[in-house]
Amino acid sequence: MCGIVGGVGERNIVPILLEGLRRLEYRGYDSSGIAVLDNQQQLSRIRSLGKIKSLDEKIQGSPTVFSGQIGIAHTRWATHGVPAEHNAHPHICNNQVAVVHNGIIENYAELKTLQLAQGYRFTSETDTEVVAHCIHKHLSDGHDLFNAVLTAIKGFKGAYALGVIAINEPDTLVVARKGSPLVIGVGIGEHFIASDVSALLPVTQRFMFLEEGDIAKITRDDVCIFNAEGEVVERLIKTSTLSSHAVELGEHRHYMHKEIFEQPQAVIDTLEGRISQEHVLVSAFGHQAEALFNTITQVQIVACGTSYHSGLVAKYWFEDIIGMPCQVEVASEYRYRNPVVQDNTLFVSISQSGETADTLAALQQIKRLKKAKNIPTLTICNVAESSLTRESDLTFLTHAGPEIGVASTKAFTTQLVSLALLLTCVGKTQGLISEERENIIVLGLQKLPGLIKSALANEDQIMEIAKQFADKSSALFLGRGTMYPIAMEGALKLKEISYIHAEAYPAGELKHGPLALIDENIPVVAIAPHDDLLEKLKSNLQEVNARGGQMIVFEDEKSNVQSGPGFKVIKATTNVGRITAPITFNIPLQLLSYHVALIKGTDVDQPRNLAKSVTVE
């Protein structure tokens, strides 16, 4: 995933592009660059390896004034070509056309061979450079910029969001999207583009969201959009309710820390308007929801990464609480096999961004099957105008707010809340849960913000425990029932931001292999809720302790795991139920990974090799 920002107006665009890049840096931070048409109508470009700060310093130290009223910018997460200045975008062809690109051109090797034969010179190892050469070729053949781009994209296979400027049309910015998000920011006498609304909040609150296959010609005074069929279309202008301050750190040292502490409010926002007088409103999932929910006999969830873990928790809930079969699969595996999907299956895709390439492809695969079967589709997502929300029959927005830190926190929590609401709606629609059970679930969810605040109050204890990881290179996480996917999420968070190898296992599987790993050098983190499996879990913990393992136990106050040699016990919560327990116990694991990363000195918000949303395979 990479970040794109651009614009055309009557003022110097460079400060706007730089600020947009800072706000998009979570999308890629290997390298960055800006290209503008300067006062002599020539392309001027500055690129830098590393983060946006390096690019800004390079611009400030430029021997000539770097400015222009039209420009494009990019922050890169490397796919083709190592992180290096010569691979950074924008890419320029023959000093006439400049391109920024998010996505992958799958047939770039074939195009590169053709372009080498045509005499084009390559200065990078990226797939994007073929885009610049291709557009230049069509400009040389007599096309204007819009038609040069339109003709070029017909020969591309893969995914792209493109921003293009050229010296022969100094007032025109052309954009196109297929498989990667792109928005247009609407101003007065100026217009902007970006991969994400957050990049443009300082300059506009009004946005048009390009749809799959759209291509647009943008000037200071006009935006003309064509769909994939070449027809002129209008895209509604929507006013964002986000403020520019929503993506600022405030008093927090890192975005991840800020977002961990925003979770009580994120839960409140996700519940708002979805429950009423101890009842869940089925209509919150869409006006068709009740009719569609009435037809289903099972649930299929697909997702990636953290979202996959939320689906695993939901599997326990669906089968335990309402007795409905539920399957969960990693989207990147699901899309590349031939899944047998039964009639009357609710297909649920989960994604923070709504642009995850594999999850989107899995949904599109199912939509092709829908013609012959009843397979209603639902997306649980944090971004209203994303590709997944547009492709699905039903959409449920999590209202987590902007999440900038690469390691997902509040998105995961609000996904679990959303899945709990879904479970309740399906159960009540089909008469699988009583009104009393519905009331209990709703009351539990209403208590959740307070439970999370109580869990956050353990931060000082967790900071002390994090010191145990200072010289460690591996860790083991244990859980049973719904706590097993929470253990998986805890292990993922630790490896993402501290680079410690971490694995999660069902506690009952210790004797089947993992016990061989146990010694004094591997911390073992366990989750001990007060439930039917508690005594079995305590036996598992004693097995670890007997072999010299160092245990860190997050428990319910009623669980009474005894502290002692080899045991550090934190009473993380109390008075939680089957739904609120996994959500609440996840909070201390987030704080643990954060503070371990601080001790290790890693980049918390932008861990190496990772980007926020995976919009390419």
Side-chain angles (χ1 to χ4, degrees):
M1 179 182 75
C2 304
I4 289 173
V5 62
V8 53
E10 297 178 348
R11 53 174 162 165
N12 180 18
I13 205 80
V14 171
I16 296 170
L17 299 183
L18 269 173
E19 179 59 27
L21 288 180
R22 291 188 189 99
R23 291 166 176 264
L24 290 178
E25 193 165 21
Y26 70 94
R27 298 179 68 93
Y29 34 87
D30 294 331
S31 59
S32 58
I34 296 177
V36 296
L37 282 171
D38 60 24
N39 293 334
Q40 284 73 47
Q41 304 304 317
Q42 298 300 308
L43 282 171
S44 181
R45 175 181 64 181
I46 294 181
R47 299 182 291 179
S48 178
L49 183 63
K51 298 187 179 182
I52 308 305
K53 181 181 178 182
S54 299
L55 178 67
D56 190 8
E57 290 172 351
K58 205 166 182 179
I59 290 172
Q60 300 307 321
S62 174
T64 58
V65 176
F66 184 70
S67 67
Q69 296 179 340
I70 181 171
I72 50 178
H74 189 271
T75 181
R76 182 172 185 253
W77 184 65
T79 51
H80 294 74
V82 299
E85 187 173 314
H86 69 276
N87 285 327
H89 299 213
H91 287 287
I92 293 177
C93 180
N94 291 346
N95 295 316
Q96 293 182 33
V97 58
V99 173
V100 289
H101 168 222
N102 180 19
I104 291 179
I105 305 301
E106 294 175 355
N107 60 331
Y108 85 99
E110 172 189 333
L111 292 170
K112 184 174 182 177
T113 299
L114 173 63
Q115 291 169 0
L116 285 168
Q118 292 170 337
Y120 284 98
R121 185 173 66 92
F122 283 79
T123 60
S124 77
E125 295 91 43
T126 71
D127 57 323
T128 301
E129 200 171 358
V130 302
V131 176
H133 294 331
C134 194
I135 294 170
H136 176 270
K137 178 67 168 63
H138 294 303
L139 286 170
S140 301
D141 291 341
H143 291 288
D144 62 15
L145 182 59
F146 177 84
N147 283 293
V149 176
L150 179 63
T151 306
I153 61 177
K154 291 177 181 177
F156 299 155
K157 296 178 182 178
Y160 54 78
L162 298 174
V164 188
I165 58 175
I167 62 172
N168 63 334
E169 294 186 45
D171 299 318
T172 301
L173 169 59
V174 176
V175 297
R177 70 148 292 183
K178 179 186 176 185
S180 292
L182 204 61
V183 303
I184 297 174
V186 179
I188 300 173
E190 57 186 11
H191 291 97
F192 308 94
I193 63 165
S195 302
D196 190 310
V197 164
S198 64
L200 301 178
L201 290 174
V203 290
T204 185
Q205 297 285 126
R206 303 169 69 228
F207 298 94
M208 289 186 282
F209 295 85
L210 293 181
E211 297 189 4
E212 186 75 356
D214 280 357
I215 179 171
K217 179 179 180 179
I218 303 169
T219 64
R220 292 178 179 85
D221 302 314
D222 190 35
V223 175
C224 187
I225 303 174
F226 294 79
N227 63 17
E229 286 71 45
E231 303 163 331
V232 176
V233 291
E234 290 189 11
R235 301 296 180 216
L236 293 177
I237 297 177
K238 300 189 177 183
T239 301
S240 173
T241 58
L242 294 175
S243 79
S244 60
H245 302 295
V247 291
E248 294 177 359
L249 276 171
E251 62 185 15
H252 298 272
R253 184 174 171 185
H254 297 96
Y255 282 110
M256 183 180 180
H257 193 259
K258 174 177 181 272
E259 289 155 9
I260 288 172
F261 278 81
E262 286 175 341
Q263 288 176 113
Q265 186 60 48
V267 170
I268 292 169
D269 292 343
T270 298
L271 291 174
E272 185 177 357
R274 276 79 182 262
I275 55 177
S276 176
Q277 298 179 342
E278 300 177 9
H279 294 281
V280 179
L281 303 176
V282 180
S283 59
F285 286 87
H287 69 278
Q288 300 174 278
E290 186 167 2
L292 292 177
F293 290 167
N294 252 320
T295 68
I296 65 170
T297 58
Q298 56 198 332
V299 177
Q300 172 69 61
I301 297 174
V302 297
C304 298
T306 287
S307 298
Y308 170 68
H309 296 157
S310 71
L312 290 174
V313 174
K315 174 180 172 65
Y316 283 92
W317 289 343
F318 269 97
E319 298 187 346
D320 180 35
I321 297 173
I322 67 172
M324 180 170 285
C326 179
Q327 301 300 318
V328 187
E329 193 158 352
V330 173
S332 57
E333 290 295 312
Y334 190 88
R335 65 175 290 198
Y336 285 116
R337 65 180 184 84
N338 294 313
V340 178
V341 186
Q342 299 295 325
D343 207 6
N344 304 319
T345 296
L346 176 63
F347 186 88
V348 181
S349 55
I350 310 174
S351 169
Q352 189 281 140
S353 66
E355 303 293 346
T356 307
D358 289 313
T359 307
L360 180 58
L363 173 59
Q364 292 167 338
Q365 180 180 355
I366 286 298
K367 288 181 71 177
R368 291 191 288 271
L369 290 176
K370 280 184 61 176
K371 297 174 183 176
K373 296 182 178 182
N374 174 45
I375 310 175
T377 59
L378 164 68
T379 283
I380 294 174
C381 181
N382 192 37
V383 180
E385 292 296 329
S386 63
S387 297
L388 278 171
T389 62
R390 289 196 294 269
E391 294 269 359
S392 297
D393 298 324
L394 304 173
T395 294
F396 191 90
L397 296 177
T398 58
H399 295 171
E403 189 178 66
I404 304 301
V406 166
S408 181
T409 52
K410 60 179 180 173
F412 178 66
T413 296
T414 53
Q415 285 170 358
L416 289 174
V417 170
S418 303
L419 287 162
L421 294 173
L422 173 64
L423 158 89
T424 310
C425 286
V426 172
K428 70 181 287 187
T429 298
Q430 297 198 12
L432 300 174
I433 59 171
S434 65
E435 184 174 335
E436 181 183 6
R437 172 61 68 84
E438 179 188 4
N439 294 346
I440 290 171
I441 292 172
V442 171
L443 289 172
L445 291 173
Q446 289 174 324
K447 283 169 44 183
L448 194 52
L451 291 170
I452 293 173
K453 287 180 181 178
S454 296
L456 291 169
N458 293 303
E459 185 173 23
D460 287 346
Q461 293 183 68
I462 293 169
M463 287 172 63
E464 286 301 310
I465 284 177
K467 295 175 183 177
Q468 290 185 223
F469 292 77
D471 60 345
K472 301 298 189 293
S473 58
S474 292
L476 193 64
F477 286 70
L478 301 177
R480 300 194 75 138
T482 54
M483 299 305 158
Y484 170 45
I486 295 302
M488 294 172 70
E489 176 62 13
L492 175 62
K493 285 292 158 286
L494 189 67
K495 70 181 74 167
E496 277 183 311
I497 63 171
S498 72
Y499 315 150
I500 292 175
H501 170 254
E503 289 189 73
Y505 280 93
E509 283 291 292
L510 277 172
K511 296 189 188 71
H512 296 273
L515 209 54
L517 297 172
I518 302 302
D519 61 25
E520 66 278 6
N521 295 315
I522 296 187
V524 180
V525 180
I527 312 166
H530 188 258
D531 61 14
D532 295 342
L533 294 173
L534 176 61
E535 293 308 315
K536 292 185 182 297
L537 176 67
K538 286 182 177 180
S539 296
N540 302 141
L541 301 186
Q542 290 302 326
E543 292 171 349
V544 173
N545 185 243
R547 287 156 179 82
Q550 301 300 303
M551 294 295 311
I552 299 163
V553 183
F554 294 99
E555 69 161 2
D556 188 296
E557 288 183 2
K558 299 177 183 177
S559 295
N560 293 320
V561 177
Q562 298 300 314
S563 293
F567 272 85
K568 292 286 179 91
V569 179
I570 294 181
K571 297 185 182 301
T573 188
T574 192
N575 197 27
V576 289
R578 276 186 286 184
I579 286 177
T580 53
I583 302 174
T584 308
F585 274 106
N586 179 58
I587 305 303
L589 300 186
Q590 293 176 349
L591 286 171
L592 178 64
S593 65
Y594 173 75
H595 285 289
V596 172
L598 290 186
I599 290 169
K600 288 284 191 179
T602 59
D603 192 330
V604 173
D605 287 331
Q606 298 170 346
R608 68 188 183 200
N609 303 332
L610 300 178
K612 182 63 182 171
S613 299
V614 184
T615 57
V616 297
E617 291 187 62

